[in-house]
Amino acid sequence: MTTLFVTGGAGFIGSALIRLIVAESDWHIVNIDCLTYAGNLESLAAVSDDARYHFSRTDIGDRAALDALFAYYHPAGVIHLAAESHVDRSIHGPGDFIRTNVTGTYTLLEATRAYWSSLADGARSAFRFHHVSTDEVFGSLGDTGLFTETTAYQPNSPYSASKAASDHLVRAWHHTYGLPVVTTNCSNNYGPCHFPEKLIPLMIHNALAGKALPIYGKGDNVRDWLYVDDHARALRTVFERGSVGETYCVGGHNEKTNLEVVDLLCALLDELRPRTDGQSYATQKTYVADRPGHDKRYAIDASKIQRELGWVPRESFETGLRKTVQWYLDNPDWVAHVVSGTYQQWTEKNYGDRA
Ligand code: NAD
Ligand code: DAU
């Protein structure tokens, strides 16, 4: 069995993972994604013609469709990324987060369990269900300390509560039914193909569009940034070599306040694409009302995945951020299609359901 299911593969991290796996392994990939506003098949243009890449436009809440995919492809494992992922959207409308992140994960677990139970002994023990989660399930840190695999869950937003629920379901499916699971809890990612609703791509897009750069509160909240390709390598490492039933924290050792991030972005843009009026992009910074329940600080202790599996990030924040800004400057069409909404028409025009 050489086929993997990746859910949410048209999203930011899923597309980076699929590009990596197709380039660096022999796996066949089935990308299971229902293409919400966040799903963009343009991010997979580099692999879309590869014979080892397959796409199925399927909702993880559709049990019959999942059963049909398992029966047709006989995968050796599932890497589950499909989710509603944006905290601000979860505050304005939590329903989709419960539907996909909680109920959708439950449906996917049940479809996986039915298929896995039908496998012969060797394939059953080799099978893996890898749940991709977030450090936000641990809540908020004060000025000191780091999240580890043993930190108590204390989710604060509808998004993080829905992800915490899904983590608990995955854990229970292992302890109760023996499903061979691994879970990763990662810090904030950044890099190419990031939807411009999240801090870094929003700031790049707004800066270039001459718009305000909205900083929540005082800009002193801290996030621990990881370049998306480093996360993708961590996911592959844990999927292939992680211990069943274990969780792994993944992070970049790059703690920055939001203000530091915005200032670094402005300095990079001033260097790489100076404003025609000679002013700095920093003049576009604007302080706006804070996010309700805004977590103060996230920071990951990634020593377990380093010690047990040998994973370390390759990018520093400075090298990764420069690459990211350059990617957005080099790919204005990707951003323009997202902003205009035409990426969804492009999707329909260029891809049918291949399952
Ligand atoms: P994203 O929003 O960019 O992509 C999510 C993808 O899931 C989209 O392609 C969307 O179409 C798909 N999807 C949503 N609902 C679906 C459904 N019901 N059925 C099938 N597909 C569906 O998200 P991302 O930033 O790439 O995050 C991927 C995963 O990684 C999520 O589970 C998220 O919680 C987790 N995570 C993200 C970060 C981060 O910084 N972005 C950090 C840690 C963990
Ligand atoms: O920690 C991992 C999480 O990181 C993932 O699980 C989430 O899916 C992902 O979206 C991300 O959540 P955050 O809420 O940390 O990311 P976001 O980019 O939305 O915000 C980063 C910080 O920037 C946060 O402190 C809020 C702030 N912010 C964000 C936006 C969009 C602003 O100040 N202004 C903004 O316009």
Side-chain angles (χ1 to χ4, degrees):
M1 295 199 300
T2 57
T3 299
L4 283 185
F5 282 3
V6 173
T7 72
F12 166 49
I13 301 170
S15 62
L17 176 67
I18 290 175
R19 294 192 301 269
L20 176 98
I21 292 178
V22 170
E24 297 185 3
S25 79
D26 296 328
W27 290 105
H28 286 244
I29 299 292
V30 182
N31 174 14
I32 298 172
D33 196 303
C34 72
L35 301 180
T36 66
Y37 79 94
N40 184 352
L41 292 179
E42 280 191 69
S43 306
L44 290 158
V47 299
S48 59
D49 289 332
D50 195 296
R52 289 186 291 115
Y53 171 74
H54 314 270
F55 172 63
S56 176
R57 186 169 192 173
T58 296
D59 193 306
I60 58 163
D62 184 342
R63 175 64 192 270
L66 292 176
D67 287 346
L69 288 170
F70 276 111
Y72 185 79
Y73 285 108
H74 294 279
V78 176
I79 306 183
H80 174 37
L81 296 101
E84 290 293 336
S85 69
H86 190 38
V87 173
D88 292 327
R89 283 181 190 260
S90 83
I91 294 167
H92 293 292
D96 283 345
F97 289 72
I98 305 304
R99 192 185 66 77
T100 287
N101 301 0
V102 184
T103 310
T105 298
Y106 156 73
T107 304
L108 178 66
L109 280 167
E110 278 296 77
T112 306
R113 183 167 74 92
Y115 163 75
W116 169 77
S117 303
S118 74
L119 295 174
D121 283 353
R124 265 168 68 94
S125 55
F127 188 87
R128 292 290 177 275
F129 182 96
H130 181 162
H131 179 56
V132 179
S133 192
T134 171
D135 59 356
E136 297 198 13
V137 297
F138 301 126
S140 184
L141 290 164
D143 291 339
T144 58
L146 300 170
F147 295 135
T148 74
E149 290 77 8
T150 57
T151 302
Y153 275 44
Q154 214 163 44
N156 290 319
S157 72
Y159 163 69
S160 54
S162 69
K163 290 296 290 187
S166 67
D167 290 14
H168 292 323
L169 291 175
V170 170
R171 177 188 161 86
W173 260 241
H174 171 60
H175 281 268
T176 303
Y177 304 114
L179 188 70
V181 307
V182 286
T183 294
T184 43
N185 294 92
C186 188
S187 63
N188 286 61
N189 284 215
Y190 68 101
C193 303
H194 204 182
F195 199 87
E197 63 185 352
K198 310 279 169 59
L199 179 72
I200 288 180
L202 178 78
M203 293 297 158
I204 298 171
H205 173 259
N206 279 14
L208 295 171
K211 294 182 178 169
L213 308 180
I215 296 163
Y216 297 164
K218 295 186 198 150
D220 57 355
N221 298 66
V222 173
R223 297 292 182 265
D224 178 0
W225 295 95
L226 180 69
Y227 191 65
V228 67
D229 290 354
D230 279 325
H231 188 194
R233 283 192 306 105
L235 294 178
R236 185 177 171 207
T237 302
V238 171
F239 177 78
E240 294 184 346
R241 296 193 284 111
S243 298
V244 169
E246 292 291 317
T247 66
Y248 297 88
C249 283
V250 185
H253 309 290
N254 286 312
E255 282 187 61
K256 302 282 176 207
T257 66
N258 295 334
L259 205 47
E260 285 173 323
V261 172
V262 176
D263 283 335
L264 279 167
L265 286 170
C266 290
L268 278 167
L269 286 167
D270 286 341
E271 176 196 331
L272 298 170
R273 181 68 57 82
R275 267 173 50 161
T276 48
D277 63 2
Q279 300 243 43
S280 169
Y281 288 100
T283 59
Q284 292 167 230
K285 287 192 296 188
T286 310
Y287 291 89
V288 299
D290 209 353
R291 173 186 278 174
H294 198 172
D295 283 339
K296 187 67 200 276
R297 174 173 167 260
Y298 304 145
I300 285 274
D301 174 355
S303 54
K304 177 177 173 181
I305 185 173
Q306 175 174 359
R307 190 176 60 249
E308 295 187 6
L309 304 176
W311 174 88
V312 284
R314 290 182 185 163
E315 299 290 343
S316 68
F317 193 57
E318 287 65 30
T319 59
L321 204 61
R322 181 173 285 274
K323 275 189 184 179
T324 303
V325 171
Q326 194 62 59
W327 187 88
Y328 279 91
L329 292 174
D330 293 344
N331 291 275
D333 286 352
W334 187 94
V335 180
H337 293 169
V338 168
V339 172
S340 68
T342 55
Y343 70 108
Q344 287 171 321
Q345 292 157 25
W346 190 93
T347 292
E348 295 302 328
K349 189 156 44 91
N350 288 275
Y351 292 87
D353 192 317
R354 295 185 177 192

